[in-house]
Amino acid sequence: MSLIRTLILALFLPALVTQTPEHNGRLTGTVTDARGGALPGVEVSVTSAQLLVPSTAVTDRSGRYDISLPPGTYNARYAVTGFLTAVESAIVVTVDASVERNVSLKMVGPCDDCFPGLLFHGVVVRVETSLGNIDIAVDSQHAPLTSANFLKYVDGGLYNNGRFHRATRADNYVVNLPNRPLLECIQAGINPDMKARAFPPIPLERTSVTGLRHSVGVVSMARGADADTATSDFFILLNNQPSLDYGGKRFDDNQGAAAFGYVSMDSMDVVRKIQQQPTELQALKSPVRVISAKRLMQQ
């Protein structure tokens, strides 16, 4: 009897060992949008003939996922509201090895390189200007400190009768590679008559903490040479600007700026119109008036 048991164990023990977690492999990767921005909250569902139920994970704020799997061949499905679902097929996972699958999701709609709808948990603010409205999704979930500072100015009415006063583009920006590539943006500030009511500078909320990235349509706080100097001025990007992320070299301290929101797709035409107004160096000859800034909704 013991001989038979020994033979059975000899036949089946290798298969049992490969199924234990310590002998699993891993499926890992990063999910981004078409601009290269991290996508948190993506459900990654992995299936195969050998799995009774799918193995799932949800990407973190940096867009990363990590799933432990027995050796085998798998299909992975990547899904999140507002984006087309993607499928990766025939992923081979081996013992004690990691397989990296990085996926870029396309937005549902006509523009893959624009703000992907108002998908993030936070507040929507409408900035009404003399050239049209700019709707900003303030991402208070991922950048709570910077968002709270911006909303203090909004709720206090300090942006009312403020202005967009700066526009940078190819014809007025001095490129200094590799640290300072072409910067395309517009920058706004509060009503000059309310400068005395400005709040103290805030600590820099780095993109290494928030997981946000400086890409087209992103809204970020303007800062000085020192990291913790942002107050009320904000800028909107019209090109991808990794030099402004943490570790980028646009600032000498390599700390970057504090991204905190996104402009809606429908507002980008107004942003471009402001950017194309006549300038003297980078200052708008006739600043574009901010009529008001107010909350539209809370998500």
Side-chain angles (χ1 to χ4, degrees):
M1 185 71 177
S2 61
L3 178 59
I4 294 173
R5 182 177 299 172
T6 301
L7 289 172
I8 291 173
L9 288 174
L11 287 171
F12 289 98
L13 186 57
L16 292 173
V17 169
T18 58
Q19 301 303 310
T20 58
E22 61 267 25
H23 290 280
N24 279 357
R26 308 197 77 82
L27 175 61
T28 64
T30 302
V31 184
T32 61
D33 59 22
R35 304 169 301 172
L39 281 180
V42 178
E43 183 180 68
V44 184
S45 179
V46 179
T47 59
S48 77
Q50 70 197 82
L51 288 180
L52 295 178
V53 294
S55 287
T56 62
V58 176
T59 57
D60 63 18
R61 65 172 56 187
S62 65
R64 293 289 298 175
Y65 69 95
D66 187 337
I67 304 176
S68 175
L69 295 166
T73 302
Y74 298 91
N75 297 325
R77 180 179 180 270
Y78 303 81
V80 68
T81 302
F83 291 82
L84 299 175
T85 297
V87 175
E88 290 277 304
S89 302
I91 303 170
V92 178
V93 174
T94 57
V95 175
D96 296 331
S98 227
V99 179
E100 184 93 358
R101 282 290 187 275
N102 298 320
V103 176
S104 177
L105 299 186
K106 293 186 176 182
M107 188 190 71
V108 176
C111 179
D112 289 333
D113 198 33
C114 300
F115 167 65
L118 302 179
L119 300 174
F120 295 92
H121 296 289
V123 180
V124 180
V125 168
R126 171 161 292 173
V127 179
E128 182 184 357
T129 82
S130 55
L131 292 181
N133 295 336
I134 299 173
D135 290 340
I136 299 172
V138 181
D139 196 343
S140 54
Q141 180 182 19
H142 295 102
L145 178 64
T146 313
S147 296
N149 177 69
F150 176 73
L151 292 171
K152 279 198 303 184
Y153 285 96
V154 170
D155 296 339
L158 276 72
Y159 287 118
N160 299 346
N161 292 313
R163 56 186 186 169
F164 280 91
H165 57 84
R166 180 188 179 212
T168 65
R169 51 186 188 248
D171 66 348
N172 69 7
Y173 189 83
V174 178
V175 173
N176 185 9
L177 296 176
N179 296 354
R180 293 176 176 81
L182 174 63
L183 174 65
E184 294 194 69
C185 74
I186 60 173
Q187 183 172 331
I190 63 173
N191 182 341
D193 294 336
M194 295 188 176
K195 288 289 185 184
R197 291 176 52 190
F199 299 102
I202 60 171
L204 176 65
E205 199 166 29
R206 293 158 177 80
T207 59
S208 58
V209 175
T210 65
L212 304 178
R213 295 292 179 265
H214 286 88
S215 53
V216 176
V218 161
V219 187
S220 188
M221 295 303 297
R223 51 156 283 196
D226 294 329
D228 302 332
T229 54
T231 53
S232 57
D233 265 33
F234 65 91
F235 61 92
I236 302 170
L237 287 172
L238 289 99
N239 67 346
N240 294 335
Q241 224 29 254
S243 67
L244 284 168
D245 293 336
Y246 176 80
K249 298 184 182 301
R250 184 170 292 278
F251 292 104
D252 292 339
D253 59 12
N254 299 344
Q255 299 300 297
F260 68 92
Y262 305 82
V263 169
S264 71
M265 287 186 297
D266 294 341
S267 303
M268 285 302 292
D269 285 343
V270 177
V271 174
R272 294 186 188 97
K273 189 183 299 184
I274 293 173
Q275 189 206 21
Q276 294 307 312
Q277 297 304 301
T279 59
E280 185 171 346
L281 299 179
Q282 296 176 8
L284 289 171
K285 288 184 177 179
S286 297
V288 175
R289 181 183 170 219
V290 174
I291 298 168
S292 67
K294 57 187 178 184
R295 299 187 190 219
L296 281 187
M297 59 184 290
Q298 181 113 14
Q299 292 184 294

PDB file of all heavy atoms in Angstrom, residues 81-83 107-108 114-126 134-139 217 261-267 296-299:
ATOM      1  N   THR A  81     -14.266  52.676 -17.439  1.00  0.00           N
ATOM      2  CA  THR A  81     -15.269  53.543 -18.035  1.00  0.00           C
ATOM      3  C   THR A  81     -14.623  54.685 -18.818  1.00  0.00           C
ATOM      4  O   THR A  81     -13.689  55.324 -18.347  1.00  0.00           O
ATOM      5  CB  THR A  81     -16.180  54.140 -16.942  1.00  0.00           C
ATOM      6  OG1 THR A  81     -16.785  53.079 -16.216  1.00  0.00           O
ATOM      7  CG2 THR A  81     -17.260  55.018 -17.548  1.00  0.00           C
ATOM      8  N   GLY A  82     -15.127  54.925 -20.024  1.00  0.00           N
ATOM      9  CA  GLY A  82     -14.642  56.035 -20.831  1.00  0.00           C
ATOM     10  C   GLY A  82     -13.587  55.656 -21.847  1.00  0.00           C
ATOM     11  O   GLY A  82     -13.211  56.469 -22.680  1.00  0.00           O
ATOM     12  N   PHE A  83     -13.117  54.391 -21.790  1.00  0.00           N
ATOM     13  CA  PHE A  83     -12.082  53.931 -22.705  1.00  0.00           C
ATOM     14  C   PHE A  83     -12.499  52.627 -23.370  1.00  0.00           C
ATOM     15  O   PHE A  83     -13.288  51.849 -22.815  1.00  0.00           O
ATOM     16  CB  PHE A  83     -10.753  53.729 -21.960  1.00  0.00           C
ATOM     17  CG  PHE A  83     -10.123  55.002 -21.488  1.00  0.00           C
ATOM     18  CD1 PHE A  83     -10.538  55.590 -20.303  1.00  0.00           C
ATOM     19  CD2 PHE A  83      -9.126  55.623 -22.219  1.00  0.00           C
ATOM     20  CE1 PHE A  83      -9.967  56.773 -19.859  1.00  0.00           C
ATOM     21  CE2 PHE A  83      -8.550  56.800 -21.786  1.00  0.00           C
ATOM     22  CZ  PHE A  83      -8.969  57.386 -20.611  1.00  0.00           C
ATOM     23  N   MET A 107      -9.468  56.364 -25.836  1.00  0.00           N
ATOM     24  CA  MET A 107     -10.665  56.957 -25.276  1.00  0.00           C
ATOM     25  C   MET A 107     -11.865  56.692 -26.174  1.00  0.00           C
ATOM     26  O   MET A 107     -11.744  56.618 -27.389  1.00  0.00           O
ATOM     27  CB  MET A 107     -10.454  58.466 -25.133  1.00  0.00           C
ATOM     28  CG  MET A 107     -11.542  59.196 -24.391  1.00  0.00           C
ATOM     29  SD  MET A 107     -11.318  60.955 -24.550  1.00  0.00           S
ATOM     30  CE  MET A 107     -11.746  61.180 -26.270  1.00  0.00           C
ATOM     31  N   VAL A 108     -13.032  56.527 -25.556  1.00  0.00           N
ATOM     32  CA  VAL A 108     -14.269  56.451 -26.312  1.00  0.00           C
ATOM     33  C   VAL A 108     -14.608  57.850 -26.795  1.00  0.00           C
ATOM     34  O   VAL A 108     -14.841  58.744 -25.984  1.00  0.00           O
ATOM     35  CB  VAL A 108     -15.416  55.899 -25.440  1.00  0.00           C
ATOM     36  CG1 VAL A 108     -16.719  55.927 -26.204  1.00  0.00           C
ATOM     37  CG2 VAL A 108     -15.096  54.489 -24.977  1.00  0.00           C
ATOM     38  N   CYS A 114      -6.812  63.925 -26.080  1.00  0.00           N
ATOM     39  CA  CYS A 114      -7.452  64.979 -25.299  1.00  0.00           C
ATOM     40  C   CYS A 114      -7.811  64.455 -23.914  1.00  0.00           C
ATOM     41  O   CYS A 114      -7.663  63.280 -23.621  1.00  0.00           O
ATOM     42  CB  CYS A 114      -8.728  65.463 -25.991  1.00  0.00           C
ATOM     43  SG  CYS A 114      -8.471  66.141 -27.629  1.00  0.00           S
ATOM     44  N   PHE A 115      -8.298  65.354 -23.094  1.00  0.00           N
ATOM     45  CA  PHE A 115      -8.774  64.969 -21.773  1.00  0.00           C
ATOM     46  C   PHE A 115      -9.889  63.935 -21.910  1.00  0.00           C
ATOM     47  O   PHE A 115     -10.864  64.143 -22.609  1.00  0.00           O
ATOM     48  CB  PHE A 115      -9.288  66.216 -21.055  1.00  0.00           C
ATOM     49  CG  PHE A 115     -10.080  65.915 -19.817  1.00  0.00           C
ATOM     50  CD1 PHE A 115      -9.473  65.313 -18.743  1.00  0.00           C
ATOM     51  CD2 PHE A 115     -11.417  66.223 -19.754  1.00  0.00           C
ATOM     52  CE1 PHE A 115     -10.191  65.023 -17.605  1.00  0.00           C
ATOM     53  CE2 PHE A 115     -12.141  65.934 -18.620  1.00  0.00           C
ATOM     54  CZ  PHE A 115     -11.522  65.337 -17.544  1.00  0.00           C
ATOM     55  N   PRO A 116      -9.775  62.776 -21.241  1.00  0.00           N
ATOM     56  CA  PRO A 116     -10.723  61.686 -21.443  1.00  0.00           C
ATOM     57  C   PRO A 116     -12.019  61.842 -20.663  1.00  0.00           C
ATOM     58  O   PRO A 116     -12.352  61.052 -19.794  1.00  0.00           O
ATOM     59  CB  PRO A 116      -9.937  60.474 -20.927  1.00  0.00           C
ATOM     60  CG  PRO A 116      -9.060  61.032 -19.869  1.00  0.00           C
ATOM     61  CD  PRO A 116      -8.688  62.414 -20.340  1.00  0.00           C
ATOM     62  N   GLY A 117     -12.766  62.910 -20.968  1.00  0.00           N
ATOM     63  CA  GLY A 117     -14.026  63.114 -20.274  1.00  0.00           C
ATOM     64  C   GLY A 117     -13.793  63.498 -18.818  1.00  0.00           C
ATOM     65  O   GLY A 117     -12.670  63.582 -18.353  1.00  0.00           O
ATOM     66  N   LEU A 118     -14.850  63.725 -18.080  1.00  0.00           N
ATOM     67  CA  LEU A 118     -14.732  64.071 -16.668  1.00  0.00           C
ATOM     68  C   LEU A 118     -14.831  62.780 -15.865  1.00  0.00           C
ATOM     69  O   LEU A 118     -15.856  62.455 -15.283  1.00  0.00           O
ATOM     70  CB  LEU A 118     -15.822  65.071 -16.283  1.00  0.00           C
ATOM     71  CG  LEU A 118     -15.798  66.364 -17.095  1.00  0.00           C
ATOM     72  CD1 LEU A 118     -16.938  67.279 -16.659  1.00  0.00           C
ATOM     73  CD2 LEU A 118     -14.466  67.076 -16.955  1.00  0.00           C
ATOM     74  N   LEU A 119     -13.733  62.004 -15.859  1.00  0.00           N
ATOM     75  CA  LEU A 119     -13.756  60.651 -15.308  1.00  0.00           C
ATOM     76  C   LEU A 119     -13.265  60.576 -13.872  1.00  0.00           C
ATOM     77  O   LEU A 119     -13.476  59.584 -13.207  1.00  0.00           O
ATOM     78  CB  LEU A 119     -12.882  59.724 -16.165  1.00  0.00           C
ATOM     79  CG  LEU A 119     -13.311  59.597 -17.628  1.00  0.00           C
ATOM     80  CD1 LEU A 119     -12.288  58.779 -18.385  1.00  0.00           C
ATOM     81  CD2 LEU A 119     -14.680  58.953 -17.733  1.00  0.00           C
ATOM     82  N   PHE A 120     -12.582  61.598 -13.395  1.00  0.00           N
ATOM     83  CA  PHE A 120     -11.930  61.505 -12.103  1.00  0.00           C
ATOM     84  C   PHE A 120     -12.828  62.047 -11.010  1.00  0.00           C
ATOM     85  O   PHE A 120     -13.666  62.917 -11.231  1.00  0.00           O
ATOM     86  CB  PHE A 120     -10.602  62.258 -12.126  1.00  0.00           C
ATOM     87  CG  PHE A 120      -9.613  61.646 -13.062  1.00  0.00           C
ATOM     88  CD1 PHE A 120      -9.525  62.065 -14.367  1.00  0.00           C
ATOM     89  CD2 PHE A 120      -8.775  60.630 -12.644  1.00  0.00           C
ATOM     90  CE1 PHE A 120      -8.625  61.488 -15.240  1.00  0.00           C
ATOM     91  CE2 PHE A 120      -7.875  60.044 -13.511  1.00  0.00           C
ATOM     92  CZ  PHE A 120      -7.798  60.483 -14.816  1.00  0.00           C
ATOM     93  N   HIS A 121     -12.647  61.519  -9.807  1.00  0.00           N
ATOM     94  CA  HIS A 121     -13.432  61.989  -8.676  1.00  0.00           C
ATOM     95  C   HIS A 121     -12.896  63.348  -8.233  1.00  0.00           C
ATOM     96  O   HIS A 121     -11.734  63.485  -7.894  1.00  0.00           O
ATOM     97  CB  HIS A 121     -13.353  60.992  -7.527  1.00  0.00           C
ATOM     98  CG  HIS A 121     -13.945  59.664  -7.865  1.00  0.00           C
ATOM     99  ND1 HIS A 121     -15.295  59.471  -8.012  1.00  0.00           N
ATOM    100  CD2 HIS A 121     -13.370  58.457  -8.103  1.00  0.00           C
ATOM    101  CE1 HIS A 121     -15.535  58.211  -8.313  1.00  0.00           C
ATOM    102  NE2 HIS A 121     -14.380  57.579  -8.373  1.00  0.00           N
ATOM    103  N   GLY A 122     -13.744  64.334  -8.230  1.00  0.00           N
ATOM    104  CA  GLY A 122     -13.309  65.660  -7.836  1.00  0.00           C
ATOM    105  C   GLY A 122     -14.389  66.677  -8.127  1.00  0.00           C
ATOM    106  O   GLY A 122     -15.582  66.381  -8.114  1.00  0.00           O
ATOM    107  N   VAL A 123     -13.959  67.898  -8.444  1.00  0.00           N
ATOM    108  CA  VAL A 123     -14.870  69.018  -8.664  1.00  0.00           C
ATOM    109  C   VAL A 123     -14.662  69.549 -10.073  1.00  0.00           C
ATOM    110  O   VAL A 123     -13.536  69.621 -10.548  1.00  0.00           O
ATOM    111  CB  VAL A 123     -14.596  70.140  -7.647  1.00  0.00           C
ATOM    112  CG1 VAL A 123     -15.532  71.316  -7.862  1.00  0.00           C
ATOM    113  CG2 VAL A 123     -14.718  69.606  -6.225  1.00  0.00           C
ATOM    114  N   VAL A 124     -15.761  69.908 -10.734  1.00  0.00           N
ATOM    115  CA  VAL A 124     -15.673  70.554 -12.038  1.00  0.00           C
ATOM    116  C   VAL A 124     -15.847  72.051 -11.843  1.00  0.00           C
ATOM    117  O   VAL A 124     -16.835  72.504 -11.259  1.00  0.00           O
ATOM    118  CB  VAL A 124     -16.736  70.013 -13.009  1.00  0.00           C
ATOM    119  CG1 VAL A 124     -16.610  70.710 -14.365  1.00  0.00           C
ATOM    120  CG2 VAL A 124     -16.584  68.512 -13.182  1.00  0.00           C
ATOM    121  N   VAL A 125     -14.870  72.812 -12.320  1.00  0.00           N
ATOM    122  CA  VAL A 125     -14.894  74.272 -12.211  1.00  0.00           C
ATOM    123  C   VAL A 125     -14.999  74.872 -13.606  1.00  0.00           C
ATOM    124  O   VAL A 125     -14.265  74.465 -14.521  1.00  0.00           O
ATOM    125  CB  VAL A 125     -13.618  74.801 -11.509  1.00  0.00           C
ATOM    126  CG1 VAL A 125     -13.506  76.322 -11.649  1.00  0.00           C
ATOM    127  CG2 VAL A 125     -13.621  74.400 -10.035  1.00  0.00           C
ATOM    128  N   ARG A 126     -15.896  75.809 -13.778  1.00  0.00           N
ATOM    129  CA  ARG A 126     -16.002  76.534 -15.046  1.00  0.00           C
ATOM    130  C   ARG A 126     -15.329  77.892 -14.911  1.00  0.00           C
ATOM    131  O   ARG A 126     -15.694  78.700 -14.051  1.00  0.00           O
ATOM    132  CB  ARG A 126     -17.452  76.718 -15.474  1.00  0.00           C
ATOM    133  CG  ARG A 126     -17.618  77.672 -16.675  1.00  0.00           C
ATOM    134  CD  ARG A 126     -18.947  77.482 -17.366  1.00  0.00           C
ATOM    135  NE  ARG A 126     -18.997  76.176 -18.032  1.00  0.00           N
ATOM    136  CZ  ARG A 126     -20.093  75.676 -18.613  1.00  0.00           C
ATOM    137  NH1 ARG A 126     -21.229  76.362 -18.591  1.00  0.00           N
ATOM    138  NH2 ARG A 126     -20.053  74.497 -19.198  1.00  0.00           N
ATOM    139  N   ILE A 134     -13.857  77.630 -20.087  1.00  0.00           N
ATOM    140  CA  ILE A 134     -12.905  76.535 -19.892  1.00  0.00           C
ATOM    141  C   ILE A 134     -13.362  75.746 -18.681  1.00  0.00           C
ATOM    142  O   ILE A 134     -13.405  76.265 -17.568  1.00  0.00           O
ATOM    143  CB  ILE A 134     -11.470  77.069 -19.670  1.00  0.00           C
ATOM    144  CG1 ILE A 134     -10.998  77.875 -20.878  1.00  0.00           C
ATOM    145  CG2 ILE A 134     -10.514  75.915 -19.387  1.00  0.00           C
ATOM    146  CD1 ILE A 134      -9.659  78.568 -20.666  1.00  0.00           C
ATOM    147  N   ASP A 135     -13.724  74.474 -18.910  1.00  0.00           N
ATOM    148  CA  ASP A 135     -14.149  73.600 -17.816  1.00  0.00           C
ATOM    149  C   ASP A 135     -12.964  72.757 -17.359  1.00  0.00           C
ATOM    150  O   ASP A 135     -12.311  72.091 -18.171  1.00  0.00           O
ATOM    151  CB  ASP A 135     -15.292  72.695 -18.260  1.00  0.00           C
ATOM    152  CG  ASP A 135     -16.587  73.470 -18.486  1.00  0.00           C
ATOM    153  OD1 ASP A 135     -16.707  74.587 -17.946  1.00  0.00           O
ATOM    154  OD2 ASP A 135     -17.464  72.954 -19.195  1.00  0.00           O
ATOM    155  N   ILE A 136     -12.715  72.767 -16.066  1.00  0.00           N
ATOM    156  CA  ILE A 136     -11.574  72.064 -15.476  1.00  0.00           C
ATOM    157  C   ILE A 136     -12.083  71.015 -14.498  1.00  0.00           C
ATOM    158  O   ILE A 136     -12.860  71.328 -13.587  1.00  0.00           O
ATOM    159  CB  ILE A 136     -10.646  73.049 -14.732  1.00  0.00           C
ATOM    160  CG1 ILE A 136     -10.075  74.100 -15.697  1.00  0.00           C
ATOM    161  CG2 ILE A 136      -9.517  72.303 -14.031  1.00  0.00           C
ATOM    162  CD1 ILE A 136      -9.303  75.212 -15.000  1.00  0.00           C
ATOM    163  N   ALA A 137     -11.662  69.769 -14.698  1.00  0.00           N
ATOM    164  CA  ALA A 137     -11.912  68.716 -13.717  1.00  0.00           C
ATOM    165  C   ALA A 137     -10.778  68.767 -12.702  1.00  0.00           C
ATOM    166  O   ALA A 137      -9.636  68.463 -13.017  1.00  0.00           O
ATOM    167  CB  ALA A 137     -11.971  67.349 -14.392  1.00  0.00           C
ATOM    168  N   VAL A 138     -11.090  69.194 -11.509  1.00  0.00           N
ATOM    169  CA  VAL A 138     -10.097  69.329 -10.440  1.00  0.00           C
ATOM    170  C   VAL A 138      -9.980  67.979  -9.734  1.00  0.00           C
ATOM    171  O   VAL A 138     -10.925  67.508  -9.109  1.00  0.00           O
ATOM    172  CB  VAL A 138     -10.517  70.435  -9.450  1.00  0.00           C
ATOM    173  CG1 VAL A 138      -9.477  70.592  -8.353  1.00  0.00           C
ATOM    174  CG2 VAL A 138     -10.716  71.755 -10.193  1.00  0.00           C
ATOM    175  N   ASP A 139      -8.816  67.351  -9.841  1.00  0.00           N
ATOM    176  CA  ASP A 139      -8.637  65.977  -9.370  1.00  0.00           C
ATOM    177  C   ASP A 139      -8.264  65.957  -7.890  1.00  0.00           C
ATOM    178  O   ASP A 139      -7.118  65.728  -7.510  1.00  0.00           O
ATOM    179  CB  ASP A 139      -7.564  65.284 -10.207  1.00  0.00           C
ATOM    180  CG  ASP A 139      -7.591  63.762 -10.051  1.00  0.00           C
ATOM    181  OD1 ASP A 139      -8.206  63.298  -9.076  1.00  0.00           O
ATOM    182  OD2 ASP A 139      -6.997  63.067 -10.880  1.00  0.00           O
ATOM    183  N   GLY A 217      -3.570  69.347 -22.063  1.00  0.00           N
ATOM    184  CA  GLY A 217      -4.819  69.553 -21.349  1.00  0.00           C
ATOM    185  C   GLY A 217      -4.720  69.545 -19.845  1.00  0.00           C
ATOM    186  O   GLY A 217      -5.703  69.815 -19.149  1.00  0.00           O
ATOM    187  N   GLY A 261      -5.341  68.905 -12.319  1.00  0.00           N
ATOM    188  CA  GLY A 261      -6.610  68.812 -13.031  1.00  0.00           C
ATOM    189  C   GLY A 261      -6.438  68.693 -14.529  1.00  0.00           C
ATOM    190  O   GLY A 261      -5.305  68.665 -15.045  1.00  0.00           O
ATOM    191  N   TYR A 262      -7.582  68.630 -15.222  1.00  0.00           N
ATOM    192  CA  TYR A 262      -7.608  68.440 -16.667  1.00  0.00           C
ATOM    193  C   TYR A 262      -8.677  69.336 -17.280  1.00  0.00           C
ATOM    194  O   TYR A 262      -9.756  69.499 -16.717  1.00  0.00           O
ATOM    195  CB  TYR A 262      -7.939  66.990 -17.031  1.00  0.00           C
ATOM    196  CG  TYR A 262      -7.026  65.971 -16.400  1.00  0.00           C
ATOM    197  CD1 TYR A 262      -7.232  65.534 -15.092  1.00  0.00           C
ATOM    198  CD2 TYR A 262      -5.970  65.433 -17.114  1.00  0.00           C
ATOM    199  CE1 TYR A 262      -6.406  64.596 -14.512  1.00  0.00           C
ATOM    200  CE2 TYR A 262      -5.135  64.486 -16.536  1.00  0.00           C
ATOM    201  CZ  TYR A 262      -5.359  64.067 -15.241  1.00  0.00           C
ATOM    202  OH  TYR A 262      -4.530  63.149 -14.669  1.00  0.00           O
ATOM    203  N   VAL A 263      -8.372  69.856 -18.447  1.00  0.00           N
ATOM    204  CA  VAL A 263      -9.352  70.645 -19.189  1.00  0.00           C
ATOM    205  C   VAL A 263     -10.213  69.716 -20.030  1.00  0.00           C
ATOM    206  O   VAL A 263      -9.704  68.748 -20.609  1.00  0.00           O
ATOM    207  CB  VAL A 263      -8.634  71.684 -20.079  1.00  0.00           C
ATOM    208  CG1 VAL A 263      -9.595  72.332 -21.058  1.00  0.00           C
ATOM    209  CG2 VAL A 263      -7.974  72.745 -19.220  1.00  0.00           C
ATOM    210  N   SER A 264     -11.515  69.976 -20.090  1.00  0.00           N
ATOM    211  CA  SER A 264     -12.397  69.143 -20.902  1.00  0.00           C
ATOM    212  C   SER A 264     -12.082  69.324 -22.382  1.00  0.00           C
ATOM    213  O   SER A 264     -11.547  70.348 -22.811  1.00  0.00           O
ATOM    214  CB  SER A 264     -13.865  69.499 -20.632  1.00  0.00           C
ATOM    215  OG  SER A 264     -14.169  70.765 -21.166  1.00  0.00           O
ATOM    216  N   MET A 265     -12.418  68.311 -23.177  1.00  0.00           N
ATOM    217  CA  MET A 265     -12.159  68.354 -24.619  1.00  0.00           C
ATOM    218  C   MET A 265     -12.791  69.582 -25.265  1.00  0.00           C
ATOM    219  O   MET A 265     -12.183  70.246 -26.097  1.00  0.00           O
ATOM    220  CB  MET A 265     -12.698  67.088 -25.288  1.00  0.00           C
ATOM    221  CG  MET A 265     -11.908  65.840 -25.029  1.00  0.00           C
ATOM    222  SD  MET A 265     -12.541  64.460 -25.996  1.00  0.00           S
ATOM    223  CE  MET A 265     -14.194  64.277 -25.325  1.00  0.00           C
ATOM    224  N   ASP A 266     -14.043  69.860 -24.878  1.00  0.00           N
ATOM    225  CA  ASP A 266     -14.771  70.960 -25.501  1.00  0.00           C
ATOM    226  C   ASP A 266     -14.145  72.315 -25.216  1.00  0.00           C
ATOM    227  O   ASP A 266     -14.420  73.289 -25.917  1.00  0.00           O
ATOM    228  CB  ASP A 266     -16.222  70.969 -25.013  1.00  0.00           C
ATOM    229  CG  ASP A 266     -17.001  69.747 -25.472  1.00  0.00           C
ATOM    230  OD1 ASP A 266     -16.547  69.097 -26.443  1.00  0.00           O
ATOM    231  OD2 ASP A 266     -18.040  69.438 -24.874  1.00  0.00           O
ATOM    232  N   SER A 267     -13.314  72.391 -24.171  1.00  0.00           N
ATOM    233  CA  SER A 267     -12.704  73.667 -23.793  1.00  0.00           C
ATOM    234  C   SER A 267     -11.371  73.932 -24.475  1.00  0.00           C
ATOM    235  O   SER A 267     -10.864  75.058 -24.422  1.00  0.00           O
ATOM    236  CB  SER A 267     -12.492  73.708 -22.271  1.00  0.00           C
ATOM    237  OG  SER A 267     -13.696  73.519 -21.580  1.00  0.00           O
ATOM    238  N   LEU A 296     -19.094  73.879 -10.918  1.00  0.00           N
ATOM    239  CA  LEU A 296     -20.278  73.432 -11.642  1.00  0.00           C
ATOM    240  C   LEU A 296     -20.897  72.224 -10.968  1.00  0.00           C
ATOM    241  O   LEU A 296     -22.113  72.086 -10.899  1.00  0.00           O
ATOM    242  CB  LEU A 296     -19.913  73.051 -13.078  1.00  0.00           C
ATOM    243  CG  LEU A 296     -19.730  74.183 -14.093  1.00  0.00           C
ATOM    244  CD1 LEU A 296     -19.553  73.589 -15.478  1.00  0.00           C
ATOM    245  CD2 LEU A 296     -20.906  75.138 -14.082  1.00  0.00           C
ATOM    246  N   MET A 297     -20.025  71.291 -10.544  1.00  0.00           N
ATOM    247  CA  MET A 297     -20.532  70.052  -9.960  1.00  0.00           C
ATOM    248  C   MET A 297     -19.450  69.380  -9.164  1.00  0.00           C
ATOM    249  O   MET A 297     -18.262  69.674  -9.316  1.00  0.00           O
ATOM    250  CB  MET A 297     -21.009  69.094 -11.068  1.00  0.00           C
ATOM    251  CG  MET A 297     -19.946  68.710 -12.077  1.00  0.00           C
ATOM    252  SD  MET A 297     -20.535  67.674 -13.444  1.00  0.00           S
ATOM    253  CE  MET A 297     -20.826  66.162 -12.565  1.00  0.00           C
ATOM    254  N   GLN A 298     -19.877  68.485  -8.297  1.00  0.00           N
ATOM    255  CA  GLN A 298     -18.968  67.655  -7.515  1.00  0.00           C
ATOM    256  C   GLN A 298     -19.214  66.224  -7.926  1.00  0.00           C
ATOM    257  O   GLN A 298     -20.349  65.758  -7.937  1.00  0.00           O
ATOM    258  CB  GLN A 298     -19.231  67.822  -6.029  1.00  0.00           C
ATOM    259  CG  GLN A 298     -18.310  66.998  -5.152  1.00  0.00           C
ATOM    260  CD  GLN A 298     -17.369  67.855  -4.341  1.00  0.00           C
ATOM    261  OE1 GLN A 298     -17.546  69.046  -4.214  1.00  0.00           O
ATOM    262  NE2 GLN A 298     -16.352  67.235  -3.799  1.00  0.00           N
ATOM    263  N   GLN A 299     -18.107  65.499  -8.310  1.00  0.00           N
ATOM    264  CA  GLN A 299     -18.273  64.115  -8.739  1.00  0.00           C
ATOM    265  C   GLN A 299     -18.018  63.163  -7.590  1.00  0.00           C
ATOM    266  O   GLN A 299     -17.159  63.396  -6.763  1.00  0.00           O
ATOM    267  CB  GLN A 299     -17.316  63.802  -9.889  1.00  0.00           C
ATOM    268  CG  GLN A 299     -17.689  64.554 -11.168  1.00  0.00           C
ATOM    269  CD  GLN A 299     -16.792  64.144 -12.303  1.00  0.00           C
ATOM    270  OE1 GLN A 299     -15.586  64.400 -12.286  1.00  0.00           O
ATOM    271  NE2 GLN A 299     -17.341  63.525 -13.302  1.00  0.00           N
TER     272      GLN A 299
END
